[in-house]
């Protein structure tokens, strides 16, 4: 038994992509099967399965560029470490949860206790990007049928959400190991720590704006709120503790996109993001279009334009495009679509046509959040068109506004932030370790200096996730309890004013008239 636990297994790029693709397409299948009428659902599910089979076939056709060797014991320890990390943010309902969990717990509970699609007795219906919750909600429904106990059902559902999220993050970290060539235990530990503690240098911004004392007060403890107009690029840990439902699957889709050699499966990633986070999908779409455009010009120069067309218009992409209207019709029912008034904070200095467009504060924001990192790794990627797309998107995203807050800036940036993380991990693994007797001279010496500076900058940025973790522990100690979940709303059906989550005119919506299953409140 001991030898089995310590034996190394080689996980190739193809295997990782199959596992990752299966994980991210499962919520899409459950949405199509649970929300649509059967004559729409069956062909749509078959399309998803064909697309997944295309990923399996691609494994045999491509030369593997990335692989990772792991022991079962190491894999188990990684999974347990991720469970502890997510638990510190209250993933299973214990310990401290941020205020956003009020609505998220209500969404999850309604998905367990109501038929899909969720319709309430007051005539409203749940309209939200519910994808990440669907697999654990299905387990919660099974628990409800078996135990007929609300408390037991809710406890099992929250445990299922915790395990499901941790599995996704484990898959993501394994992909980061492979992509960044983490071929030793020390490098894997380093990549994992970089993933947990990756963030912009918010603490420097907080000092610059004079908001550090406020952000360190017990009621806040959140460094990312240092920008006067509310813009932020959310750290990895903060995404898990605040918006895990919009982050985990888009992250996995992004790392799969990063490891892909062509465009054959772009629609699989897009559809998976659409049911979990439309705003992250916008950010990922920018990267996919930019990379595809760069490859198009390369293929034109090399006479491989036909190959590019076959990749873009692959069977998987074309078929999955047919599923988009069904999902989009559901999301467009949301009353939040019409809530486009912007606050004074959002408007201040962020208009694309304003004289203050290139103001120093927003340039400083870009520099501290990602600009310095991109500059330090540039010498390895100066011929990589994707890096320029990432930089341009992160520079421009803060100037666009959708809805009532700065959500577009915070969420559309999620894929580009992960690409920056992956590039940083690869750069550190390539250049940080010096050979015996190597001097800091020449091209390799300069790159090692950049790697050292990058490590220092990342260490400064780690203050943000450290404070996120500390906040939860602080409230547990000061309040003397581990039962600090946010369950006040119980069900969203009692709060028809929450426009971000509900629709009130179902009878006039195309989705509920022609596509949705019958669902009694």
């Amino acid at each position: 038994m001991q030898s089995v636990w310590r034996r190394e297994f080689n996980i190739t790029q193809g295997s990782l992509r199959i596992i990752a693709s299966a994980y991210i397409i499962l919520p899409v299948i459950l949405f199509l099967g649970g929300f649509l009428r059967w004559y729409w659902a069956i062909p749509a599910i078959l399309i998803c399965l064909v697309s997944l089979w295309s990923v399996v076939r691609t494994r045999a056709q491509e030369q593997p560029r990335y692989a990772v060797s792991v022991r079962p014991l190491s894999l188990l320890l990684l999974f347990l470490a991720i469970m502890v990390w997510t638990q510190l943010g209250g993933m299973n309902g214990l310990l401290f949860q941020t205020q956003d969990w009020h609505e998220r717990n209500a969404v999850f509970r309604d998905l367990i206790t109501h038929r899909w699609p969720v319709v309430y007795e007051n005539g409203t219906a749940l309209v939200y990007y519910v994808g990440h919750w669907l697999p654990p909600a299905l387990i919660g429904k099974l628990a409800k049928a078996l135990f007929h106990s609300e408390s037991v059902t809710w406890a099992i559902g929250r445990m299922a959400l915790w395990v499901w999220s941790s599995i996704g993050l484990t898959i993501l970290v394994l992909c980061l190991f492979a992509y960044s060539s983490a071929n030793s235990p020390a490098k894997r530990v380093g990549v994992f720590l970089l993933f947990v503690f990756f963030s912009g240098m918010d603490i420097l911004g907080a000092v610059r704006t004079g908001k550090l004392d406020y952000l360190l007060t017990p009621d806040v403890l959140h460094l990312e709120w240092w920008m006067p107009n509310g813009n932020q690029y959310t750290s990895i840990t903060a995404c898990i503790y605040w918006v895990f439902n919009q982050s985990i699957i888009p992250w996995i889709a992004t790392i799969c996109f990063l490891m892909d050699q062509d465009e054959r499966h772009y629609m699989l990633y897009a559809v998976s993001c659409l049911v979990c986070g439309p705003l992250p999908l916008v950010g990922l779409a920018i990267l996919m279009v930019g990379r595809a455009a760069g490859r198009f010009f390369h293929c034109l120069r090399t006479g491989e334009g036909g190959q590019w067309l076959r990749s873009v218009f692959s069977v998987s992409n074309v078929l999955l495009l047919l599923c988009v209207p069904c999902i989009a019709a559901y999301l467009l029912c949301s009353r939040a679509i019409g809530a486009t008034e912007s606050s004074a904070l959002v408007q201040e200095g962020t208009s694309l046509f304003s004289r203050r467009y290139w103001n120093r504060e927003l340039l400083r924001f870009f520099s501290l959040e990602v600009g310095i990192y991109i500059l330090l790794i540039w010498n390895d990627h100066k011929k990589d068109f994707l890096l320029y797309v990432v930089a341009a998107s992160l520079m421009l995203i803060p100037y666009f506004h959708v809805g009532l807050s700065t959500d577009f800036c915070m969420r559309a940036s999620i894929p580009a932030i992960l690409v920056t993380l992956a590039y940083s991990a690869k750069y550190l693994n390539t250049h940080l370790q010096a050979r015996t007797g190597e001097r800091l001279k020449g091209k390799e010496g300069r790159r090692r200096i950049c790697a050292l500076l990058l490590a220092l900058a990342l260490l400064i940025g780690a203050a943000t996730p450290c404070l996120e973790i500390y906040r939860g522990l602080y409230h547990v100690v000061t309040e003397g309890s581990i039962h600090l979940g946010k369950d006040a709303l119980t069900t969203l059906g009692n709060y028809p004013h929450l426009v971000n989550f509900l629709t009130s005119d179902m009878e006039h919506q195309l989705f509920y008239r022609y596509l949705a299953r019958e669902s009694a409140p």
Side-chain angles (χ1 to χ4, degrees):
M1 178 63 69
Q2 185 177 2
S3 61
V4 173
W5 280 101
R6 293 185 178 276
R7 180 182 174 186
E8 279 198 350
F9 293 90
N10 192 50
I11 305 177
T12 64
Q13 168 194 352
S15 300
L16 284 171
R17 283 176 49 214
I18 291 171
I19 296 169
S21 298
Y23 182 92
I24 64 177
I25 203 66
L26 178 58
V28 180
I29 292 173
L30 292 181
F31 175 86
L32 296 171
F35 284 63
L36 300 184
R37 298 174 187 178
W38 67 269
Y39 47 83
W40 296 114
I42 291 176
I45 291 173
L46 289 175
I47 287 173
C48 292
L49 295 177
V50 169
S51 180
L52 184 59
W53 174 247
S54 174
V55 177
V56 176
R57 288 185 60 194
T58 303
R59 175 189 178 188
Q61 297 172 358
E62 288 185 349
Q63 292 294 327
R65 296 185 296 165
Y66 310 106
V68 60
S69 297
V70 294
R71 294 184 176 92
L73 180 60
S74 301
L75 189 59
L76 177 62
L77 292 175
L78 172 63
F79 180 71
L80 293 177
I82 287 174
M83 292 193 77
V84 171
W85 173 44
T86 54
Q87 171 57 30
L88 291 174
M91 182 65 74
N92 68 1
L94 299 177
L95 302 187
F96 177 78
Q97 293 181 332
T98 61
Q99 56 260 37
D100 280 17
W101 279 84
H102 282 297
E103 292 84 2
R104 309 207 188 291
N105 282 328
V107 168
F108 187 38
R109 184 184 282 106
D110 287 343
L111 287 170
I112 293 175
T113 57
H114 291 67
R115 289 183 60 187
W116 297 347
V118 176
V119 176
Y120 302 105
E121 293 181 356
N122 60 10
T124 61
L126 174 65
V127 178
Y128 196 60
Y129 14 97
V130 297
H132 186 80
W133 284 292
L134 294 182
L138 184 60
I139 294 175
K141 285 183 176 295
L142 295 175
K144 180 183 176 184
L146 288 173
F147 299 104
H148 304 286
S149 168
E150 183 178 341
S151 59
V152 173
T153 297
W154 184 229
I156 292 175
R158 291 194 299 188
M159 290 295 293
L161 176 63
W162 185 29
V163 173
W164 166 253
S165 301
S166 299
I167 290 173
L169 290 169
T170 302
I171 294 170
L172 174 59
V173 172
L174 289 174
C175 290
L176 284 172
F177 286 169
Y179 180 78
S180 64
S181 302
N183 50 18
S184 69
K187 287 183 178 181
R188 290 174 202 142
V189 171
V191 171
F192 174 68
L193 292 177
L194 176 62
F195 179 65
V196 173
F197 294 103
F198 187 84
S199 173
M201 293 179 280
D202 300 294
I203 191 167
L204 298 184
V207 171
R208 170 67 180 77
T209 56
K211 297 180 68 173
L212 184 61
D213 290 342
Y214 164 72
L215 297 175
L216 292 179
T217 56
D219 292 337
V220 181
L221 295 176
H222 190 66
L223 287 175
E224 286 159 322
W225 291 341
W226 64 271
M227 274 291 285
N229 63 6
N231 280 328
Q232 65 168 274
Y233 286 153
T234 312
S235 69
I236 300 296
T237 293
C239 281
I240 296 298
Y241 291 1
W242 292 78
V243 288
F244 63 93
N245 58 301
Q246 297 184 60
S247 304
I248 295 176
I249 285 179
W251 280 335
I252 297 174
T254 301
I255 195 65
C256 287
F257 150 78
L258 201 55
M259 293 193 296
D260 271 357
Q261 300 177 31
D262 54 41
E263 300 81 13
R264 275 179 284 182
H265 302 113
Y266 279 11
M267 280 306 302
L268 186 149
Y269 310 144
V271 170
S272 300
C273 286
L274 185 59
V275 299
C276 297
L279 293 183
L281 171 58
V282 174
L284 181 57
I286 293 171
L287 303 186
M288 291 194 293
V289 170
R291 191 177 189 180
R295 215 175 76 84
F296 170 71
F297 291 113
H298 173 76
C299 288
L300 282 183
R301 290 195 303 269
T302 58
E304 297 175 337
Q307 180 183 353
W308 182 86
L309 287 173
R310 286 191 294 272
S311 295
V312 171
F313 296 100
S314 66
V315 172
S316 174
N317 285 343
V318 172
L319 288 178
L320 278 173
L321 190 61
L322 301 176
C323 296
V324 171
C326 298
I327 303 171
Y330 169 73
L331 295 174
L332 288 172
C333 295
S334 174
R335 284 187 288 164
I337 298 296
T340 57
E341 301 86 358
S342 57
S343 66
L345 281 178
V346 172
Q347 289 181 336
E348 182 184 354
T350 60
S351 172
L352 190 62
F353 304 103
S354 170
R355 293 175 60 187
R356 300 181 60 193
Y357 173 63
W358 293 110
N359 66 67
R360 294 181 180 179
E361 196 65 41
L362 285 169
L363 286 175
R364 187 179 294 112
F365 168 74
F366 170 78
S367 300
L368 291 179
E369 293 297 318
V370 291
I372 292 175
Y373 301 156
I374 290 174
L375 180 63
L376 290 171
I377 64 176
W378 176 80
N379 50 37
D380 264 15
H381 297 275
K382 53 189 173 184
K383 295 183 179 180
D384 183 359
F385 187 65
L386 181 61
L387 180 68
Y388 298 97
V389 177
V390 167
S393 67
L394 291 174
M395 186 174 290
L396 293 174
I397 280 174
Y399 298 102
F400 291 87
H401 168 70
V402 176
L404 298 173
S405 185
T406 56
D407 282 7
F408 185 83
C409 177
M410 293 186 286
R411 308 304 166 229
S413 60
I414 283 174
I417 294 296
L418 186 78
V419 173
T420 307
L421 185 159
Y423 278 5
S424 299
K426 192 170 187 176
Y427 193 89
L428 291 173
N429 282 341
T430 303
H431 301 296
L432 190 58
Q433 185 176 359
R435 297 180 180 89
T436 304
E438 182 181 7
R439 297 181 179 180
L440 298 180
K441 294 182 179 180
K443 182 170 65 175
E444 288 303 319
R446 288 193 297 271
R447 290 184 175 180
R448 184 168 179 248
I449 291 174
C450 287
L452 291 169
L453 293 174
L454 177 62
L456 177 61
L458 291 167
L459 189 62
I460 295 171
T464 299
C466 284
L467 193 63
E468 290 291 318
I469 295 171
Y470 169 77
R471 182 182 57 237
L473 297 176
Y474 170 83
H475 284 284
V476 168
V477 173
T478 56
E479 298 179 39
S481 174
I482 62 172
H483 301 286
L484 300 177
K486 301 294 192 298
D487 290 331
L489 298 186
T490 308
T491 175
L492 292 176
N494 295 334
Y495 301 89
H497 62 281
L498 295 176
V499 296
N500 280 349
F501 302 89
L502 302 172
T503 185
S504 58
D505 54 348
M506 294 169 46
E507 65 277 5
H508 298 110
Q509 301 289 351
L510 181 148
F511 177 80
Y512 289 97
R513 292 178 65 183
Y514 302 109
L515 301 176
R517 294 175 54 193
E518 294 290 336
S519 184

